[in-house]
Amino acid sequence: MVTNTHSKWGVRLGTLALWALAGASVVYWGLRLSARPVGLAVPAVAPAPVAPDAHAMARLLGVPAATDAVAGRAPVASLASRFALIGVLAGRSSGGGAALIAVDGKLAKPFRVGAAVDEGLVLQSLDPRQARLGASVDGPATLTLDMPLKN
């Protein structure tokens, strides 16, 4: 009877090749998973927020320039001339909202209904183009500020 001696070696070499391939695969994936990621992007730094220029915004919305505050002279003693209504966000059904008011020619700030705008003055209520100020929220209106009409 004739035996084929080459077939034993073929099986042995095939088994060796498969085990070598399995070992190489384990080494490859082990190195791949344990390595640090290369080329991480540096996070971009956001630019500093730009503060809005209230005077430019007021000019854009059609408010006349406050020349007394700009020229360095004392503001007019009249109470109404100290305040400028720049914008209104009035709640129709709630009666709440906020108003953008400039005090003494300074940058305009937002004030909610009920907030103190200046010493002794509270924002009482708002209409679509109007804000009423008084000593208290429930008291009579001392001052009514109107938004300027567009030209």
Side-chain angles (χ1 to χ4, degrees):
M1 183 180 262
V2 179
T3 60
N4 190 357
T5 57
H6 295 292
S7 65
K8 280 185 181 181
W9 286 104
V11 171
R12 290 179 181 166
L13 287 177
T15 304
L16 177 66
L18 284 176
W19 277 107
L21 188 62
S25 176
V26 167
V27 169
Y28 171 78
W29 284 109
L31 290 175
R32 178 103 176 178
L33 293 175
S34 67
R36 287 189 178 153
V38 180
L40 281 180
V42 176
V45 177
V50 178
D53 184 7
H55 296 293
M57 187 66 86
R59 283 194 309 267
L60 180 68
L61 294 173
V63 176
T67 56
D68 289 337
V70 174
R73 290 175 270 162
V76 180
S78 172
L79 186 62
S81 65
R82 293 186 54 218
F83 303 97
L85 182 63
I86 307 298
V88 174
L89 180 63
R92 294 194 188 275
S93 61
S94 68
L100 190 61
I101 301 174
V103 181
D104 292 332
K106 296 179 184 174
L107 293 176
K109 295 179 184 176
F111 295 97
R112 290 183 154 268
V113 172
V117 176
D118 199 27
E119 283 186 37
L121 287 177
V122 175
L123 182 60
Q124 292 178 328
S125 63
L126 297 170
D127 285 331
R129 298 189 57 81
Q130 197 174 59
R132 284 178 288 287
L133 304 174
S136 67
V137 176
D138 298 330
T142 307
L143 179 64
T144 301
L145 300 175
D146 292 313
M147 283 185 56
L149 296 174
K150 295 180 183 177
N151 293 338

